[in-house]
Amino acid sequence: MEISVPGLLLRSWELTDAAEVMAAMREPAIAQWNSTPSAAAGMEGAREWVRRRADWSSGDHASFALAEPSTRALLGSISLHRIYDGDAVIGYWTVAPARGRGLAALAVATVTGWAFQRLNLHRIELCHAVANPSSCRVAEKTGYALEGTLRESHRYGDKRRYDEHLHARLATDE
């Protein structure tokens, strides 16, 4: 499965991505805001992480590698999780060299539109730590309305609980 938009390729995960995933998960910003210690711990954990995201057979998630269109080099990740009864949760990260280029917002907008059309979803939620303002900007840029703050709702990479902003988009939103 591939989706191509100007400046970005969303492609299926490949086992050859494991080394880049392991390196990305060791990067401080990604490690802080993503709970994936097994992928950072070693190559086998990174391979398992990639395998799970490449296998959509359960129907409860859809995951894409964000890649440079010309080289297919890994730039990040975007996934729809907990797909059930017309609802899902979206999550994403980008490697340090890809940040500041608008790629996270482009990926979120692209996958959101795809999910509403192809998966017939009605509601997609986007949660992020209040302490992570970059993700708040992505949510705002892509039309995810702020619905509230979830108090100490998620334990992040440093094992502390953080308040999270809950944003959401509906298929009926303009």
Side-chain angles (χ1 to χ4, degrees), residues 6 13 17 19 49 59 91 102 111 117 119 128 144 160 162 165:
W13 284 98
D17 294 322
W49 188 95
V111 170
Q117 292 174 0
L119 302 180
H128 65 84
Y144 278 74
R160 292 180 38 223
Y162 284 84
H165 280 161

PDB file of all heavy atoms in Angstrom, residues 6 13 17 19 49 59 91 102 111 117 119 128 144 160 162 165:
ATOM      1  N   PRO A   6       2.741  15.289  -3.009  1.00  0.00           N
ATOM      2  CA  PRO A   6       3.956  16.071  -3.285  1.00  0.00           C
ATOM      3  C   PRO A   6       4.827  16.221  -2.027  1.00  0.00           C
ATOM      4  O   PRO A   6       4.377  16.697  -0.992  1.00  0.00           O
ATOM      5  CB  PRO A   6       3.410  17.422  -3.745  1.00  0.00           C
ATOM      6  CG  PRO A   6       2.067  17.092  -4.340  1.00  0.00           C
ATOM      7  CD  PRO A   6       1.530  15.978  -3.460  1.00  0.00           C
ATOM      8  N   TRP A  13       5.435  -0.727   5.673  1.00  0.00           N
ATOM      9  CA  TRP A  13       6.655  -0.992   6.428  1.00  0.00           C
ATOM     10  C   TRP A  13       7.371  -2.191   5.842  1.00  0.00           C
ATOM     11  O   TRP A  13       6.736  -3.148   5.388  1.00  0.00           O
ATOM     12  CB  TRP A  13       6.322  -1.241   7.894  1.00  0.00           C
ATOM     13  CG  TRP A  13       5.996   0.025   8.608  1.00  0.00           C
ATOM     14  CD1 TRP A  13       4.747   0.513   8.871  1.00  0.00           C
ATOM     15  CD2 TRP A  13       6.922   0.977   9.107  1.00  0.00           C
ATOM     16  NE1 TRP A  13       4.847   1.717   9.517  1.00  0.00           N
ATOM     17  CE2 TRP A  13       6.178   2.029   9.678  1.00  0.00           C
ATOM     18  CE3 TRP A  13       8.314   1.051   9.144  1.00  0.00           C
ATOM     19  CZ2 TRP A  13       6.767   3.143  10.270  1.00  0.00           C
ATOM     20  CZ3 TRP A  13       8.911   2.159   9.738  1.00  0.00           C
ATOM     21  CH2 TRP A  13       8.136   3.185  10.293  1.00  0.00           C
ATOM     22  N   ASP A  17      13.518  -1.592   7.252  1.00  0.00           N
ATOM     23  CA  ASP A  17      13.385  -0.344   8.030  1.00  0.00           C
ATOM     24  C   ASP A  17      13.816  -0.507   9.484  1.00  0.00           C
ATOM     25  O   ASP A  17      13.931   0.478  10.216  1.00  0.00           O
ATOM     26  CB  ASP A  17      11.926   0.141   8.027  1.00  0.00           C
ATOM     27  CG  ASP A  17      11.431   0.564   6.668  1.00  0.00           C
ATOM     28  OD1 ASP A  17      12.214   1.172   5.910  1.00  0.00           O
ATOM     29  OD2 ASP A  17      10.252   0.289   6.365  1.00  0.00           O
ATOM     30  N   ALA A  19      16.553  -1.130  11.263  1.00  0.00           N
ATOM     31  CA  ALA A  19      17.709  -0.405  11.804  1.00  0.00           C
ATOM     32  C   ALA A  19      17.401   1.082  11.972  1.00  0.00           C
ATOM     33  O   ALA A  19      17.766   1.695  12.990  1.00  0.00           O
ATOM     34  CB  ALA A  19      18.930  -0.607  10.912  1.00  0.00           C
ATOM     35  N   TRP A  49       8.567  -4.631  15.933  1.00  0.00           N
ATOM     36  CA  TRP A  49       7.811  -3.383  15.815  1.00  0.00           C
ATOM     37  C   TRP A  49       7.379  -3.183  14.360  1.00  0.00           C
ATOM     38  O   TRP A  49       6.222  -2.879  14.079  1.00  0.00           O
ATOM     39  CB  TRP A  49       8.680  -2.222  16.301  1.00  0.00           C
ATOM     40  CG  TRP A  49       8.017  -0.911  16.422  1.00  0.00           C
ATOM     41  CD1 TRP A  49       7.461  -0.367  17.552  1.00  0.00           C
ATOM     42  CD2 TRP A  49       7.844   0.076  15.392  1.00  0.00           C
ATOM     43  NE1 TRP A  49       6.960   0.882  17.270  1.00  0.00           N
ATOM     44  CE2 TRP A  49       7.179   1.179  15.955  1.00  0.00           C
ATOM     45  CE3 TRP A  49       8.193   0.131  14.045  1.00  0.00           C
ATOM     46  CZ2 TRP A  49       6.857   2.320  15.226  1.00  0.00           C
ATOM     47  CZ3 TRP A  49       7.864   1.260  13.309  1.00  0.00           C
ATOM     48  CH2 TRP A  49       7.206   2.331  13.897  1.00  0.00           C
ATOM     49  N   GLY A  59      -7.264  -5.846  11.178  1.00  0.00           N
ATOM     50  CA  GLY A  59      -8.235  -4.787  10.901  1.00  0.00           C
ATOM     51  C   GLY A  59      -8.321  -3.727  11.983  1.00  0.00           C
ATOM     52  O   GLY A  59      -9.100  -2.783  11.865  1.00  0.00           O
ATOM     53  N   GLY A  91      -1.627   8.397  15.485  1.00  0.00           N
ATOM     54  CA  GLY A  91      -0.355   8.727  16.117  1.00  0.00           C
ATOM     55  C   GLY A  91       0.735   8.804  15.072  1.00  0.00           C
ATOM     56  O   GLY A  91       0.641   8.172  14.018  1.00  0.00           O
ATOM     57  N   GLY A 102       6.892  20.505   7.808  1.00  0.00           N
ATOM     58  CA  GLY A 102       5.450  20.328   7.647  1.00  0.00           C
ATOM     59  C   GLY A 102       5.046  18.914   7.278  1.00  0.00           C
ATOM     60  O   GLY A 102       3.888  18.679   6.911  1.00  0.00           O
ATOM     61  N   VAL A 111      -3.516  10.887   5.761  1.00  0.00           N
ATOM     62  CA  VAL A 111      -4.065   9.651   6.321  1.00  0.00           C
ATOM     63  C   VAL A 111      -5.482   9.866   6.835  1.00  0.00           C
ATOM     64  O   VAL A 111      -6.334   8.987   6.704  1.00  0.00           O
ATOM     65  CB  VAL A 111      -3.129   9.086   7.411  1.00  0.00           C
ATOM     66  CG1 VAL A 111      -3.789   7.949   8.174  1.00  0.00           C
ATOM     67  CG2 VAL A 111      -1.833   8.601   6.762  1.00  0.00           C
ATOM     68  N   GLN A 117     -12.347   8.194   3.754  1.00  0.00           N
ATOM     69  CA  GLN A 117     -12.834   7.690   2.473  1.00  0.00           C
ATOM     70  C   GLN A 117     -12.723   6.176   2.344  1.00  0.00           C
ATOM     71  O   GLN A 117     -13.684   5.509   1.973  1.00  0.00           O
ATOM     72  CB  GLN A 117     -12.067   8.351   1.329  1.00  0.00           C
ATOM     73  CG  GLN A 117     -12.364   9.814   1.196  1.00  0.00           C
ATOM     74  CD  GLN A 117     -11.490  10.479   0.153  1.00  0.00           C
ATOM     75  OE1 GLN A 117     -10.653   9.835  -0.488  1.00  0.00           O
ATOM     76  NE2 GLN A 117     -11.667  11.773  -0.029  1.00  0.00           N
ATOM     77  N   LEU A 119     -11.617   3.737   4.725  1.00  0.00           N
ATOM     78  CA  LEU A 119     -11.982   2.888   5.859  1.00  0.00           C
ATOM     79  C   LEU A 119     -13.366   3.213   6.406  1.00  0.00           C
ATOM     80  O   LEU A 119     -13.829   2.585   7.344  1.00  0.00           O
ATOM     81  CB  LEU A 119     -10.945   3.000   6.984  1.00  0.00           C
ATOM     82  CG  LEU A 119      -9.511   2.644   6.616  1.00  0.00           C
ATOM     83  CD1 LEU A 119      -8.601   2.798   7.832  1.00  0.00           C
ATOM     84  CD2 LEU A 119      -9.419   1.243   6.035  1.00  0.00           C
ATOM     85  N   HIS A 128      -2.062  14.022  22.588  1.00  0.00           N
ATOM     86  CA  HIS A 128      -0.637  14.311  22.770  1.00  0.00           C
ATOM     87  C   HIS A 128      -0.444  14.925  24.146  1.00  0.00           C
ATOM     88  O   HIS A 128      -1.365  15.521  24.709  1.00  0.00           O
ATOM     89  CB  HIS A 128      -0.110  15.260  21.680  1.00  0.00           C
ATOM     90  CG  HIS A 128      -0.734  16.616  21.749  1.00  0.00           C
ATOM     91  ND1 HIS A 128      -0.272  17.603  22.599  1.00  0.00           N
ATOM     92  CD2 HIS A 128      -1.799  17.137  21.117  1.00  0.00           C
ATOM     93  CE1 HIS A 128      -1.018  18.685  22.461  1.00  0.00           C
ATOM     94  NE2 HIS A 128      -1.966  18.421  21.570  1.00  0.00           N
ATOM     95  N   TYR A 144      -7.981  19.189  13.560  1.00  0.00           N
ATOM     96  CA  TYR A 144      -8.401  18.395  14.715  1.00  0.00           C
ATOM     97  C   TYR A 144      -8.772  19.362  15.840  1.00  0.00           C
ATOM     98  O   TYR A 144      -7.908  20.039  16.391  1.00  0.00           O
ATOM     99  CB  TYR A 144      -7.292  17.441  15.167  1.00  0.00           C
ATOM    100  CG  TYR A 144      -7.238  16.171  14.370  1.00  0.00           C
ATOM    101  CD1 TYR A 144      -6.734  16.153  13.074  1.00  0.00           C
ATOM    102  CD2 TYR A 144      -7.705  14.977  14.904  1.00  0.00           C
ATOM    103  CE1 TYR A 144      -6.681  14.978  12.347  1.00  0.00           C
ATOM    104  CE2 TYR A 144      -7.664  13.800  14.181  1.00  0.00           C
ATOM    105  CZ  TYR A 144      -7.149  13.812  12.899  1.00  0.00           C
ATOM    106  OH  TYR A 144      -7.110  12.646  12.183  1.00  0.00           O
ATOM    107  N   ARG A 160       6.683   8.975  33.501  1.00  0.00           N
ATOM    108  CA  ARG A 160       5.817   9.892  34.247  1.00  0.00           C
ATOM    109  C   ARG A 160       4.475  10.009  33.540  1.00  0.00           C
ATOM    110  O   ARG A 160       4.390   9.874  32.324  1.00  0.00           O
ATOM    111  CB  ARG A 160       6.460  11.283  34.330  1.00  0.00           C
ATOM    112  CG  ARG A 160       7.705  11.312  35.185  1.00  0.00           C
ATOM    113  CD  ARG A 160       8.348  12.692  35.283  1.00  0.00           C
ATOM    114  NE  ARG A 160       7.377  13.755  35.352  1.00  0.00           N
ATOM    115  CZ  ARG A 160       7.482  14.911  34.670  1.00  0.00           C
ATOM    116  NH1 ARG A 160       8.502  15.123  33.862  1.00  0.00           N
ATOM    117  NH2 ARG A 160       6.562  15.833  34.781  1.00  0.00           N
ATOM    118  N   TYR A 162       1.427  12.227  32.184  1.00  0.00           N
ATOM    119  CA  TYR A 162       1.261  13.584  31.667  1.00  0.00           C
ATOM    120  C   TYR A 162      -0.203  13.853  31.371  1.00  0.00           C
ATOM    121  O   TYR A 162      -0.938  12.943  30.966  1.00  0.00           O
ATOM    122  CB  TYR A 162       2.051  13.757  30.357  1.00  0.00           C
ATOM    123  CG  TYR A 162       3.531  13.896  30.561  1.00  0.00           C
ATOM    124  CD1 TYR A 162       4.334  12.771  30.708  1.00  0.00           C
ATOM    125  CD2 TYR A 162       4.128  15.148  30.602  1.00  0.00           C
ATOM    126  CE1 TYR A 162       5.698  12.888  30.892  1.00  0.00           C
ATOM    127  CE2 TYR A 162       5.493  15.275  30.788  1.00  0.00           C
ATOM    128  CZ  TYR A 162       6.275  14.142  30.932  1.00  0.00           C
ATOM    129  OH  TYR A 162       7.625  14.265  31.118  1.00  0.00           O
ATOM    130  N   HIS A 165      -3.800  16.612  25.716  1.00  0.00           N
ATOM    131  CA  HIS A 165      -4.869  17.256  24.965  1.00  0.00           C
ATOM    132  C   HIS A 165      -5.543  16.192  24.105  1.00  0.00           C
ATOM    133  O   HIS A 165      -4.868  15.374  23.479  1.00  0.00           O
ATOM    134  CB  HIS A 165      -4.335  18.342  24.042  1.00  0.00           C
ATOM    135  CG  HIS A 165      -4.052  19.629  24.732  1.00  0.00           C
ATOM    136  ND1 HIS A 165      -3.235  20.581  24.191  1.00  0.00           N
ATOM    137  CD2 HIS A 165      -4.476  20.126  25.915  1.00  0.00           C
ATOM    138  CE1 HIS A 165      -3.167  21.604  25.003  1.00  0.00           C
ATOM    139  NE2 HIS A 165      -3.917  21.350  26.065  1.00  0.00           N
TER     140      HIS A 165
END
